[in-house]
Amino acid sequence: MGEGGRGRRSRDDLPQPRRRSKVGAVSESGEPALRHQLMEATVSKMLNEFREFAVKGNVVDLAIGVIIGAAFGQIVTSVVSDLFMPLVGAVFGGLDFSNYFIPLSANVTENSLAAAREQGAVFAYGHFLTVVINFLIVAWILFIVVKGINRLRRKAATEPPPAPPAPTREESLLMEIRDILAQKA
């Protein structure tokens, strides 16, 4: 109690409020700040798991595949729109399929698809044909690529495995010793 024993408490006798621990701090009782350690361990574990996930071969291979696929898509789109479709248009009288449409509104008077869409509803079958032809070309190219890869895999699977290397001098001597001991036994 306090001085004189009258039931008064001194400042030292009153319970002290808890203080929040800071990074690397130690509580008043001398124990480490447990909450901080648990949070630090959890964050460290999550970062390690993420690093393992991100560096795995499958994730990296997938990322490379997506990037190459995007570049390949641009090449195929260019082949279709710049090389193939002009030839198809020339065969069919020099017309561009993308501007074939049927107006669904009396307000549509334009001849180009973009301007006609601004005027009202249109049935754009020419654009649909262009997309279908584009898809068929992409599917055909991918089919040829996959067929080539499968051919290479089959060729690699049918090749005989390489002959095992000849035993070294030490291995030959050890085999001779083994055979001699086997004959004596």
Side-chain angles (χ1 to χ4, degrees):
M1 297 232 187
E3 295 175 20
R6 292 194 222 155
R8 291 176 135 187
R9 290 186 175 178
S10 71
R11 218 178 201 184
D12 295 334
D13 292 340
L14 294 174
Q16 297 294 321
R18 285 189 167 174
R19 294 184 181 143
R20 292 185 178 236
S21 60
K22 296 185 179 182
V23 177
V26 176
S27 68
E28 291 177 6
S29 63
E31 297 176 12
L34 185 60
R35 181 180 295 169
H36 175 71
Q37 287 180 341
L38 289 174
M39 188 174 10
E40 197 173 78
T42 302
V43 169
S44 175
K45 184 178 176 184
M46 286 175 46
L47 288 175
N48 285 337
E49 287 178 11
F50 178 75
R51 186 179 315 129
E52 288 175 14
F53 168 76
V55 179
K56 278 186 181 176
N58 295 341
V59 174
V60 175
D61 291 346
L62 178 63
I64 290 171
V66 168
I67 293 169
I68 290 174
F72 184 72
Q74 290 177 348
I75 291 170
V76 171
T77 301
S78 176
V79 165
V80 170
S81 63
D82 298 334
L83 303 176
F84 187 73
M85 289 309 287
L87 293 175
V88 171
V91 169
F92 289 104
L95 298 173
D96 183 13
F97 283 127
S98 62
N99 281 321
Y100 285 4
F101 64 92
I102 298 171
L104 298 177
S105 170
N107 298 336
V108 178
T109 58
E110 291 291 330
N111 291 332
S112 71
L113 179 62
R117 281 185 172 164
E118 291 178 9
Q119 291 179 339
V122 294
F123 184 71
Y125 69 91
H127 181 70
F128 176 74
L129 287 174
T130 304
V131 171
V132 168
I133 291 171
N134 193 356
F135 169 77
L136 292 173
I137 292 170
V138 170
W140 180 255
I141 291 172
L142 289 176
F143 170 74
I144 291 171
V145 168
V146 170
K147 186 176 178 181
I149 291 171
N150 287 340
R151 185 181 313 134
L152 291 174
R153 284 184 181 168
R154 277 184 296 217
K155 183 179 178 183
T158 59
E159 290 179 358
T168 63
R169 180 163 164 67
E170 288 110 13
E171 290 172 340
S172 299
L173 290 173
L174 287 171
M175 286 188 288
E176 286 179 25
I177 293 170
R178 179 197 63 201
D179 294 341
I180 292 171
L181 289 173
Q183 288 174 356
K184 288 184 178 181

